[in-house]
């Protein structure tokens, strides 16, 4: 893996945006301009004054840590099922041609009963959640999911306004979303024997946008346009927002999806919770009219959001390298 032995990336400025004006119904002209600049440049930015209580965040992070501290056999009791809910052991996630990621995770989504029509029909990524037999786990995880879900829709409205669209341009596609939230655990990098494995292989997220909470360990690194890796360090009381491939397709790369990776260079475990704001399965993603023109032809065909994401998830999580 390239640059695996490099020194920690130099921290550089990733925009920090105060979203209180939007939440408090104040003047948002400056905020919308900041969001547009952030999305056009790095497509990564921090948000502060997001309105989610620190207790909700702390309790979810504590529940996540306690889950991963259990013995492997306890974690495996909720092994990932056909709905892509549950536990993914270290090495499950692997991009074709890359070493397996040095991380394990636990996936949660919109909780649908087995008799729900979308579950009965076999719609990808739709189904019930799995829950471990772990005290004080489900409640704080569901509370966090609900709070970030609500805030995520606010983020989508801010992004829509930054594109000079109706604020509900994206959120109308979230009536039955395929949102997934992932509790992440990264062992220290020096614990692996693989020469080509890091915490998270360089990649771009699949969906529209991601809301990430990370612990103080650091390790998230972003690729600058010219190829240099820079760190996106922990900033207290913030979330990190980044854009995914569906946003790039919707905006014709006016807003791009920035490659990023995770390398846990510390001697202790790293924890984070990315919340993937995936829209309804049947949402049609096609180039926004204001993002195309004679000097910017349409770059992507129309795609169905759910099929696009399900295909990438399958490639990423179910990939099996060819053995020689």
């Amino acid at each position: 893996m390239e640059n695996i032995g490099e020194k920690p990336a130099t921290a550089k400025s990733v925009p920090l945006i105060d979203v209180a004006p939007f939440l408090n119904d104040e003047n948002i002209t400056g905020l919308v301009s900041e969001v547009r600049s952030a999305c056009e440049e790095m497509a990564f930015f921090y948000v502060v004054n997001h309105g989610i209580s620190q207790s909700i965040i702390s309790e979810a992070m504590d529940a996540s840590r306690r889950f991963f501290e259990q013995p492997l056999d306890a974690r495996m009791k909720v092994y990932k099922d056909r709905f892509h809910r549950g536990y993914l052991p270290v090495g499950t996630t692997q991009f074709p041609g890359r070493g397996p990621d040095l991380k394990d995770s636990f996936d949660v989504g919109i909780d649908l009963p087995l008799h729900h029509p979308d579950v009965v029909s076999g719609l990808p990524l739709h189904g019930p959640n799995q829950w471990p037999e772990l005290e004080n786990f489900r409640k704080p995880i569901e509370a966090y999911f609900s709070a970030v879900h609500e805030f995520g829709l606010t983020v989508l409205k801010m992004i829509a306004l930054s594109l000079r669209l109706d604020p509900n341009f994206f959120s109308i596609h979230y009536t039955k979303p395929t949102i997934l939230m992932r509790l992440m655990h990264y062992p220290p990098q020096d614990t692996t024997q693989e020469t080509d494995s890091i915490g998270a292989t360089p990649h771009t997220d699949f969906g529209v946008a991601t809301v990430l909470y990370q612990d103080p360990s650091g390790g998230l690194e972003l690729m600058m346009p010219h190829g240099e890796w820079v760190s996106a360090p922990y900033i207290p009381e913030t979330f990190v927002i980044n854009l995914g491939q569906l946003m790039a397709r919707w905006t014709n790369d006016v807003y791009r999806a920035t490659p990023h990776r995770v390398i846990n260079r510390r001697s202790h475990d790293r924890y984070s919770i990315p919340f993937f704001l995936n829209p309804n399965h049947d949402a049609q993603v096609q180039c926004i009219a204001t993002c195309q023109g004679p000097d910017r032809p349409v770059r992507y065909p129309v795609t169905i959001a759910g099929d696009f994401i399900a295909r990438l998830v399958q490639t990423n999580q179910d990939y099996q390298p060819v053995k020689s």
Side-chain angles (χ1 to χ4, degrees):
M1 178 65 64
E2 66 275 11
N3 300 327
I4 196 72
E6 70 176 8
K7 294 181 180 179
T10 302
K12 295 203 175 175
S13 177
V14 177
L16 174 63
I17 300 177
D18 185 345
V19 298
F22 193 95
L23 299 178
N24 297 332
D25 294 324
E26 299 170 358
N27 187 306
I28 60 171
T29 303
L31 168 59
V32 169
S33 178
E34 287 184 75
V35 171
R36 184 174 182 90
S37 294
C39 292
E40 287 179 332
E41 294 168 10
M42 281 299 294
F44 264 86
F45 56 95
Y46 296 91
V47 292
V48 68
N49 293 325
H50 43 71
I52 299 178
S53 73
Q54 189 57 45
S55 63
I56 287 178
I57 297 170
S58 297
E59 289 171 11
M61 290 292 284
D62 177 69
S64 175
R65 177 186 53 77
R66 289 186 291 104
F67 173 78
F68 290 109
E69 287 177 346
Q70 296 181 111
L72 179 59
D73 60 351
R75 285 172 275 159
M76 289 296 289
K77 290 179 180 178
V78 284
Y79 180 74
K80 180 191 73 173
D81 58 21
R82 69 184 188 277
F83 308 115
H84 278 268
R85 306 294 207 274
Y87 177 62
L88 286 73
V90 173
T92 301
T93 303
Q94 181 173 4
F95 286 84
R98 303 279 191 165
D101 283 354
L102 182 61
K103 68 186 180 193
D104 52 346
S105 58
F106 183 86
D107 283 7
V108 178
I110 300 292
D111 201 9
L112 299 176
L114 289 173
H115 58 76
H116 189 282
D118 289 339
V119 181
V120 173
S121 68
L123 206 61
L125 306 179
H126 288 65
N129 287 322
Q130 291 197 78
W131 298 106
E133 295 179 1
L134 180 64
E135 185 178 357
N136 196 31
F137 179 83
R138 179 174 179 172
K139 183 176 179 180
I141 296 304
E142 288 186 325
Y144 182 91
F145 188 102
S146 177
V148 179
H149 185 182
E150 181 178 356
F151 175 66
L153 296 178
T154 297
V155 169
L156 294 177
K157 291 179 180 179
M158 291 189 292
I159 293 174
L161 288 169
S162 77
L163 289 161
R164 303 179 181 90
L165 301 170
D166 182 281
N168 294 313
F169 178 87
F170 296 112
S171 58
I172 60 173
H173 298 288
Y174 283 76
T175 54
K176 298 192 298 180
T178 54
I179 287 170
L180 286 175
M181 184 176 84
R182 179 165 289 176
L183 311 182
M184 307 291 298
H185 165 239
Y186 298 89
Q189 180 62 38
D190 62 10
T191 62
T192 182
Q193 300 299 312
E194 300 279 351
T195 59
D196 59 348
S197 290
I198 60 174
T201 299
H203 67 284
T204 55
D205 288 350
F206 306 151
V208 176
T210 304
V211 181
L212 170 74
Y213 186 82
Q214 56 177 341
D215 74 8
S217 300
L220 175 62
E221 300 178 357
L222 321 179
M223 179 184 282
M224 301 289 282
H226 52 277
E228 178 188 6
W229 287 100
V230 300
S231 64
Y234 168 80
I235 299 177
E237 300 181 351
T238 67
F239 287 101
V240 179
I241 309 296
N242 70 278
L243 308 182
Q245 294 181 37
L246 286 182
M247 180 63 77
R249 297 175 77 97
W250 238 321
T251 64
N252 210 25
D253 288 333
V254 172
Y255 290 176
R256 63 195 177 90
T258 296
H260 52 285
R261 68 186 184 188
V262 175
I263 304 178
N264 182 12
R265 305 176 190 274
R266 302 293 183 90
S267 59
H268 55 265
D269 294 352
R270 176 186 187 267
Y271 298 92
S272 67
I273 307 179
F275 190 98
F276 301 107
L277 284 163
N278 303 327
N280 298 349
H281 179 91
D282 60 0
Q284 285 197 353
V285 178
Q286 56 186 326
C287 181
I288 296 169
T290 55
C291 295
Q292 58 181 285
D295 59 343
R296 197 178 192 91
V298 175
R299 301 178 180 183
Y300 304 102
V302 178
T303 190
I304 301 301
D307 292 339
F308 180 84
I309 291 169
R311 183 173 64 253
L312 290 173
V313 168
Q314 184 177 35
T315 301
N316 173 233
Q317 294 184 8
D318 301 329
Y319 167 74
Q320 294 294 328
V322 176
K323 290 182 169 57
S324 57

